[in-house]
Amino acid sequence: MPTWALGRAVLLTGLLLIAGVLLGRVDLVVLAAPFALGTAYALRRRPTALPQIWVSADEGHLVEGGELTGTVTVGNPDLLDYDVAVVRSRVSPWLRVQQVTIAGATTASGASSAVAPSVADRPFVTAVPTAAAVDLELTGTALRWGRHPIGPAGARAAAAQGLLVSRAVIAEPSRLRVYPRTEPFDAVEAMPRAAGLVGAHHSRRPGEGGELAGVRVFAPGDRLRRIDWRVSLRARQLHVAATLSDRDAEVVVLLDVLAEAGRSGGVSGAASVLDTTVRAAAAIAEHYLHRGDRVSMLEYGPSARRLRPATGRRQYLTVLEWLLEVRAEHSPHEPYDQVFGPQLLSADALVVVLTPLLDERSAQMLARLTRSGRFVVAVDTLPADLTPPKDRGWAEVAYRLWRLDRDTMIGQLREHGVPVVRWAGAGSLDEVLRDVARLATAPRVAR
């Protein structure tokens, strides 16, 4: 495509020639000759191929607050050099690019580099020799979890000493995966019911474990190393030490995505409901998977996404990938049957519900789960520093009434046996899990 420079050169040359002919002045023709010869010399060799551009992102395990790396590459497939190439790329606002490095064209003879600290959305100019490519390396900080795009990126090349410019070539964006930062989380060792075959929890069932359950009379099948010789000599009959089996447990992390509140400020700023929900879910899953338990994920919302229960590091990486797709979706319909209808939760599972309790349907769901005999723990994910609306009129009064109504709803849930605790990182669930485990092991009174 011709540039304004080419248009000015042709226009000036034509005006000087016409004026020289009409006025009969040779000096004007001589003055136009350098413009005509220079333009013809610059246009004698011009590229015919468009520039090529690619966008790539680092595929490493990037966590919130970590250093990101992305690359925008512009290449010259033509047999002639580009005088200059202008590259520009869009970047997600949650990716703070702090430095841009323009690497020199990589050829067989060598490479050169120059550092240009700037932001990513500004245009960058570099020369691109023939059959070579130049990398624009973006480095910075990832501010929030999710899949954030680097790109789309565009490039235009100028040739013939700036008289010609190519049309813009656009590259598709590359998605950078940023995993949520898991706060240090720990919980008590007790679980309501350990139903697996092997694991780290002391169950109430007898078996081969490390927890002493008592002493009983020797029976066929008992191992000789279990014989308690002191009791046997005193009772004049063989007795063995009985132990409780060590079993694993299933933990279901249920994410309430019916509503969102608060404004996210990234890893170092304020947390919204979705931020707290995702980070708490990652921390809980990491803790129980590290102990060998089975962990599954559920969404309480229109999409009703679910992740099957499994154990190990592979499940933890799968959980992190699953959490990247969490979105707040409002639905006018009741999603309870959609979430719990086709597949019932295990009766022995511990259900940890992460909910802001902004929708009445969430409270009804918690009550139903508790009435069905499940072990339910509700974790309040509403930000404690949520500010009231600053509009004039009755906005502040309405906010106070809403707060009172929400506190009343939480009190009613606790009366129905649903423990509600606010997420506060490490130790958030210690006391409530201890109470749930105590209730599960308490003897049932016949009515």
Side-chain angles (χ1 to χ4, degrees), residues 19-39:
V21 172
L22 293 179
L23 300 178
R25 297 182 57 179
V26 181
D27 56 336
L28 295 179
V29 177
V30 174
L31 187 61
F35 293 98
L37 293 176
T39 302

Side-chain angles (χ1 to χ4, degrees), residues 21-100:
V21 172
L22 293 179
L23 300 178
R25 297 182 57 179
V26 181
D27 56 336
L28 295 179
V29 177
V30 174
L31 187 61
F35 293 98
L37 293 176
T39 302
Y41 180 80
L43 294 176
R44 79 190 191 283
R45 298 180 65 191
R46 51 185 179 180
T48 58
L50 294 174
Q52 298 176 343
I53 187 169
W54 307 272
V55 180
S56 60
D58 187 12
E59 295 295 333
H61 189 86
L62 180 61
V63 185
E64 289 178 305
E67 183 177 347
L68 65 93
T69 303
T71 304
V72 180
T73 304
V74 56
N76 180 8
D78 205 283
L79 298 177
L80 300 176
D81 296 345
Y82 293 149
D83 294 339
V84 68
V86 181
V87 185
R88 189 167 187 173
S89 175
R90 290 184 179 180
V91 177
S92 169
W94 295 115
L95 302 178
R96 179 181 297 169
V97 177
Q98 300 168 337
Q99 181 173 322
V100 179

